[in-house]
Amino acid sequence: MITNLRNYKKALVVTAAVVILAVASVVVLNMTKPYAVYADGTKVEDPYVVKAGDEELFLVEDSKTAERVIETVIKQYTPDGAQINSISVDKELSVDNKSLSRGEKAPTLLTEEEAVNYILEENSQEDPLFSVTINAEIGSVEKVEAGTQYEDSDELYKGQSEVKSEGSDGDQIVTNEITSVNGAVLTSQVIDTALLNESVDTVVYKGTKERPKDTVRADYGGQVMGSGSGAAVANFALQFVGNPYKYGGTSLTDGADCSGFVQSVYAQFGISLPRTVGPQSNCGKGVSYSEAQPGDLICYSGHIAIYIGGGNIVHAANSRSGIIVSTAKSFGAITTVRRIIE
């Protein structure tokens, strides 16, 4: 009887312990709130969700973080220095407290930087999370290129030119109205210009003086005397006699000016010369006119030619005469003779 009583008491104790443990487990379970977790394992209860329309995008720690993320993204899409006319988003962006369920796997939290990068990356894809359309006005400083004005000069032969005064570019503020979506400009239209500094045109003298008739020999058909590469250059140049002159041109067949003619002839021999008379007149080695050989450059004020020997030159003279052979000294005062090929 006593033994049975002891066994009964033990059974009651065990049963009571089991009940107490079960109740304690329920209490502990009820006291433990669900949470979200950062990548480093930090837990956060009561996170917030950022939504675009009805779609949940990601979780962040609190509503302030969520608001900063949205502000930062829109700022990223806003052009620097722009005057904003309007900003619209195709889906409603909202921030709500996220309700978590016990027992489910803890969802991942994004830091503020991670959330911004996630949106920018996803919105650059073909199917963005949402679209931010911005209409704005942007001003930029642009160059106003100087033009060229020409004045006749009876001190220069026809076909010759000389810069009277160098010009300078101006600048202006150009205001464009743009429409962009997620930072990509879709439309841009100039709505205003404001001049800051006026451009100043370059003024160039153009010769009007006629050359002596005996200096023009377009029918020259002779052969250059001498040997070597200089003579080859001169002979090559002579085949284009009779072709047209073209201001600014470099074509040996369709038209060239004096420096364009010289540059293109020498280019056929693998020699690169500058484009204009001034720099060409400094190329190679200076020699006296009495030492001139075929292929040398005969330089004048604002003009240049190729020496072919016998006191003659071949050159792109002017729009009236084209490419011709002339006597070197009667064309004008020679300023220098340059030897390009020894």
Side-chain angles (χ1 to χ4, degrees), residues 226-270:
S227 61
S229 297
V233 169
N235 272 317
F236 178 79
L238 281 171
Q239 68 181 298
F240 302 104
V241 169
N243 286 346
Y245 173 97
K246 182 179 180 181
Y247 182 76
T250 58
S251 172
L252 297 173
T253 54
D254 296 330
D257 58 19
C258 62
S259 56
F261 176 70
V262 168
Q263 183 189 51
S264 295
V265 167
Y266 267 92
Q268 297 298 315
F269 293 83

Side-chain angles (χ1 to χ4, degrees), residues 138-186:
I138 303 177
S140 60
V141 177
E142 297 184 5
K143 181 172 68 174
V144 179
E145 292 188 356
T148 303
Q149 296 183 17
Y150 295 94
E151 294 182 5
D152 291 341
S153 171
D154 58 8
E155 295 183 0
L156 299 174
Y157 287 112
K158 287 185 176 180
Q160 290 183 314
S161 62
E162 183 178 296
V163 175
K164 175 183 178 182
S165 59
E166 291 286 354
S168 60
D169 293 332
D171 46 41
Q172 62 183 352
I173 296 178
V174 178
T175 302
N176 287 270
E177 181 180 1
I178 68 158
T179 300
S180 65
V181 175
N182 289 352
V185 176
L186 297 185

Side-chain angles (χ1 to χ4, degrees), residues 19 182 203 256 262 329:
V19 171
N182 289 352
V203 179
V262 168
K329 286 190 174 181

Side-chain angles (χ1 to χ4, degrees), residues 2 15 20 22 24 36 43 68 76 78 131 134 157 169 182 186 191 235 254 263-264 295 308 329 332:
I2 294 174
T15 301
I20 291 171
K43 300 174 183 178
R68 287 197 302 271
Q76 287 283 333
T78 304
S131 295
I134 296 178
Y157 287 112
D169 293 332
N182 289 352
L186 297 185
I191 59 173
N235 272 317
D254 296 330
Q263 183 189 51
S264 295
I308 60 174
K329 286 190 174 181

Side-chain angles (χ1 to χ4, degrees), residues 314-334:
V314 59
H315 59 134
N318 51 54
S319 57
R320 178 174 57 83
S321 302
I323 298 174
I324 60 173
V325 171
S326 305
T327 55
K329 286 190 174 181
S330 62
F331 186 80
I334 297 172

